[in-house]
């Protein structure tokens, strides 16, 4: 596409006409369209895109962006009961103070190639998260929890060569899509079939009969969650884990790390591979960001050999107390083997390990216990208050942590209508489950964290009672 007036972008040198001309001469093309000769003509757009004029100075760009952002309403403006894998937790100010330091924020991928300070931060992050999980080996941060789960399934496939994985039907629908897409496209030799385990409609727990019917010696791995996407605490997870071990499958647990101040570490009830998302460890709510995955195991060679990314570890010190750490077993990765490596890695979200490290260092074991007790109390109080509102009942009878499925089927209103009415009252209602879980009808997933206490819950209950009373008139 030719322009009568050339725009030169200050941070894109090849937009300068003289630089662009030199590059085109070097590759032997006279027109930029020649670079797309493999694209069929019918797929090429020859017109002018309807995009706004370029903004070339910093002040105007900042003014424009602030104007766009001012149209948003955030969880700081309204009371928010939205969670569903991305909950509104409190992020202490010191987390941002350290994460936004120039040496962390502006470096490539927050990587640690030659900066021992970043290596030190990375080792501290690994050590604290491994202590929280009671594991021994930690991956570098993955893109998000869904991608970490997909890679954990691929690790299991490479370990035992089996081709089938079982996942809970109550898992995060976004993670379902990530896993299904990843398993379909990651590598030709990793053809993994998947099947979903039903959940009990009354309790929300895994349906044990369906679980046993689908668990065979053809299964490569089984994924379970100590707290499901729908908020139910899986009371039978240790029993289910034993059955998984009996057929020789890998037991994968997807866990929210914030819950581990209350819930037992997965390896202590038999988990082979533990994965999840770092979001709850000091990461802000952010559109399209604020999430990063992790994978962790014990130290057996069969797991070490199947990590796709770098692994950092300690070496035995020659001088007592002077530990040495570095990048181990790089020959596993595509950095060494290219297409023959364990899957593929690229620039990821390593900056978020800084936030997670600072958050874990601030909280410590006592802090995690206090937060989890608070979340548990808020969840119980929320369940009590909402279930007392006429027209509302709880979807499941199982014990809940942080997320609670609320049934509006008898209210006479849809979740969409209720959420719209709540917005008018300055409240973000629960996630509408009617599309992803149609069997639950008009149900919504409400999230209760340490920042949604008694005052916020009472406000929500009063608002819902008023909205549903208006329906009855």
């Amino acid at each position: 596409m030719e322009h009568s007036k050339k725009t030169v972008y200050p941070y894109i040198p090849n937009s300068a006409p003289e630089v662009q001309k030199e590059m085109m001469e070097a590759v032997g093309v006279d027109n930029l369209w020649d670079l797309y000769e493999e694209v069929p003509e019918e797929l090429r757009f020859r017109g002018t895109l309807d995009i706004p004029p370029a903004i070339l100075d910093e002040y105007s760009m900042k003014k424009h962006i602030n104007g766009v952002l001012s149209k948003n309403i955030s969880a700081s403006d309204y009371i928010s009961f939205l969670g569903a894998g991305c909950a509104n937790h409190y992020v202490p100010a010191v987390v941002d103070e350290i994460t936004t330091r120039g040496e962390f924020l502006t470096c490539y991928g927050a990587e640690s190639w030659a900066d021992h300070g970043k290596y030190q931060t990375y080792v501290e992050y690994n050590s604290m998260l491994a202590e929280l999980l009671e594991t021994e080996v930690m991956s570098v941060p993955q893109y998000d929890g869904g991608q970490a789960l997909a890679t954990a399934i691929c690790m299991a496939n490479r370990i035992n060569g089996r081709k089938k994985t079982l996942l809970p039907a109550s898992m995060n629908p976004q993670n379902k899509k990530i896993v299904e897409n990843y398993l379909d496209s990651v590598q030709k030799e990793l053809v993994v079939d998947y099947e979903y385990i039903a959940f009990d409609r009354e309790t929300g727990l895994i349906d044990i009969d369906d679980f046993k019917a689908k668990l065979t010696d053809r299964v490569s791995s089984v994924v379970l969650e100590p707290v499901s996407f729908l908020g139910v605490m899986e009371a039978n997870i240790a029993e289910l884990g034993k059955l998984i071990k009996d057929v020789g499958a890998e037991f994968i647990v997807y866990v929210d790390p914030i819950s581990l101040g209350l819930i037992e570490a997965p390896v202590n009830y038999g988990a082979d591979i533990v994965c999840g998302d770092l979001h709850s460890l000091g990461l802000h709510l952010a559109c399209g960001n604020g999430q990063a995955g992790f994978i962790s195991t014990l130290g057996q060679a069969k797991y070490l050999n199947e990590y796709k990314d770098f692994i950092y570890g300690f070496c035995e010190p020659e001088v007592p107390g002077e530990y040495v750490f570095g990048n181990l077993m790089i020959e596993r990765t595509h950095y060494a083997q290219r297409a023959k490596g364990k899957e593929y890695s690229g620039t990821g979200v390593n900056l978020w390990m800084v936030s997670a490290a600072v958050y874990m260092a601030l909280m410590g074991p006592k802090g995690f216990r206090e937060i989890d007790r608070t979340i548990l109390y808020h969840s119980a109080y929320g369940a009590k208050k909402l279930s007392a509102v006429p027209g509302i009942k709880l979807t499941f009878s199982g014990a809940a942590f942080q997320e609670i499925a609320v049934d509006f089927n008898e209210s006479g209103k849809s979740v969409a209508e209720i959420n719209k009415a709540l917005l008018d009252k300055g409240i973000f209602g629960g996630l509408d489950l009617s599309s992803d879980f149609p069997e639950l009808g008009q149900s919504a997933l409400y999230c209760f964290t340490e920042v949604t206490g008694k005052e916020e819950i009472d406000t929500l209950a009063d608002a819902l009672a008023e909205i549903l009373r208006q329906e009855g008139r």
Side-chain angles (χ1 to χ4, degrees):
M1 181 168 58
E2 300 296 335
H3 294 279
S4 58
K5 183 178 180 181
K6 192 70 178 178
T7 300
V8 178
Y9 296 91
Y11 300 109
I12 308 177
N14 61 11
S15 67
E18 61 275 12
V19 175
Q20 194 175 94
K21 182 175 182 295
E22 183 180 351
M23 294 175 68
M24 290 170 65
E25 290 174 351
V27 297
V29 299
D30 298 320
N31 188 294
L32 288 177
W33 281 107
D34 295 341
L35 297 173
Y36 307 105
E37 61 181 0
E38 294 181 355
V39 178
E41 181 62 35
E42 64 269 20
L43 298 180
R44 303 187 196 185
F45 179 67
R46 297 283 188 172
T48 301
L49 294 174
D50 184 18
I51 57 177
I55 302 174
L56 301 180
D57 65 279
E58 183 176 328
Y59 169 75
S60 298
M61 177 60 75
K62 183 176 181 180
K63 181 180 178 181
H64 171 72
I65 291 173
N66 285 339
V68 172
L69 293 176
S70 67
K71 298 176 182 179
N72 293 332
I73 301 171
S74 74
S76 299
D77 304 312
Y78 282 10
I79 301 172
S80 178
F81 292 93
L82 277 172
C86 200
N88 186 22
H89 292 288
Y90 180 70
V91 179
V94 70
V95 174
D96 293 336
E97 184 69 25
I98 295 176
T99 303
T100 56
R101 287 177 63 98
E103 57 267 41
F104 292 135
L105 185 62
T106 62
C107 58
Y108 170 71
E111 259 298 355
S112 354
W113 304 114
D115 188 327
H116 289 182
K118 294 189 192 73
Y119 263 128
Q120 180 73 40
T121 305
Y122 195 86
V123 167
E124 299 298 344
Y125 155 78
N126 273 349
S127 301
M128 286 186 285
L129 187 52
E131 183 177 357
L132 184 64
L133 297 167
E134 299 193 31
T135 50
E136 297 168 339
V137 183
M138 187 69 55
S139 71
V140 299
Q142 309 293 298
Y143 288 110
D144 56 25
Q147 190 269 310
L149 175 57
T151 286
I153 293 169
C154 292
M155 290 172 66
N157 171 268
R158 290 192 292 267
I159 288 170
N160 56 37
R162 300 179 185 179
K163 298 296 184 182
K164 188 169 189 177
T165 189
L166 301 180
L167 303 111
S170 56
M171 69 185 285
N172 189 325
Q174 292 185 351
N175 285 353
K176 282 184 183 180
K177 293 175 182 177
I178 293 171
V179 168
E180 290 174 6
N181 177 65
Y182 198 85
L183 298 185
D184 180 63
S185 59
V186 59
Q187 283 172 327
K188 290 181 179 179
E189 60 272 22
L190 281 175
V191 181
V192 183
D193 188 18
Y194 49 85
E195 193 170 3
Y196 290 102
I197 311 162
F199 57 87
D200 185 278
R201 283 293 308 278
E202 180 184 345
T203 64
L205 299 170
I206 289 289
D207 185 317
I208 293 183
D209 291 336
D210 190 55
F211 176 87
K212 290 179 178 178
K214 292 172 178 173
L215 184 65
T216 69
D217 58 9
R218 293 181 55 249
V219 171
S220 170
S221 60
V222 181
V223 177
L224 295 178
E225 299 174 306
V227 179
S228 75
F229 171 76
L230 299 174
V232 178
M233 300 172 73
E234 185 56 61
N236 303 315
I237 196 164
E239 174 190 344
L240 299 176
K242 184 178 184 306
L243 296 175
I244 294 167
K245 298 281 194 180
D246 289 344
V247 299
E250 295 295 317
F251 180 17
I252 300 173
V253 171
Y254 187 91
V255 65
D256 183 349
I258 197 70
S259 69
L260 295 176
L262 173 72
I263 297 172
E264 183 65 81
V267 293
N268 293 334
Y269 50 80
D272 298 306
I273 305 174
V274 184
C275 57
D277 199 293
L278 293 175
H279 168 73
S280 59
L281 302 183
L283 277 61
H284 288 280
L285 294 170
C287 181
N289 210 318
Q291 294 185 278
F294 65 87
I295 305 171
S296 193
T297 65
L298 296 177
Q300 294 101 313
K302 70 175 183 177
Y303 299 113
L304 278 167
N305 287 327
E306 298 308 332
Y307 279 87
K308 72 181 181 69
D309 303 293
F310 294 147
I311 295 176
Y312 296 92
F314 287 105
C315 298
E316 290 292 332
E318 294 183 2
V319 178
E322 293 186 4
Y323 289 94
V324 178
F325 48 86
N327 197 345
L328 308 177
M329 301 170 65
I330 195 172
E331 65 277 3
R332 300 166 293 101
T333 70
H334 84 275
Y335 295 97
Q337 297 193 40
R338 311 312 297 169
K340 296 181 180 179
K342 312 289 185 183
E343 304 170 52
Y344 172 79
S345 297
T347 302
V349 286
N350 291 341
L351 177 65
W352 297 139
M353 65 90 179
V354 180
S355 299
V358 177
Y359 185 87
M360 288 187 287
L362 285 170
M363 300 308 297
K366 182 178 179 181
F368 273 91
R369 286 194 296 271
E370 289 179 354
I371 280 187
D372 284 353
R373 280 200 296 265
T374 302
I375 293 173
L376 189 65
Y377 295 156
H378 288 177
S379 301
Y381 184 71
K384 179 181 177 181
K385 288 290 291 187
L386 295 192
S387 61
V389 175
I392 296 177
K393 63 181 181 180
L394 303 184
T395 306
F396 303 115
S397 61
F401 177 83
Q402 189 165 275
E403 306 275 2
I404 295 177
V406 179
D407 186 335
F408 291 100
N409 286 294
E410 297 177 2
S411 70
K413 280 185 174 286
S414 69
V415 172
E417 291 171 326
I418 292 168
N419 282 347
K420 185 175 184 301
L422 286 173
L423 273 178
D424 293 337
K425 297 177 179 294
I427 300 171
F428 291 124
L431 178 73
D432 190 342
L433 297 173
S434 60
S435 295
D436 291 311
F437 297 90
E439 66 273 28
L440 301 180
Q442 292 301 315
S443 289
L445 192 63
Y446 278 76
C447 181
F448 302 91
T449 69
E450 71 277 14
V451 302
T452 46
K454 182 179 185 299
E455 180 181 349
E456 290 78 13
I457 295 169
D458 288 345
T459 300
L460 171 66
D462 291 343
L464 286 171
E466 181 181 346
I467 291 167
L468 298 185
R469 272 200 305 271
Q470 292 171 355
E471 172 65 22
R473 291 172 184 169

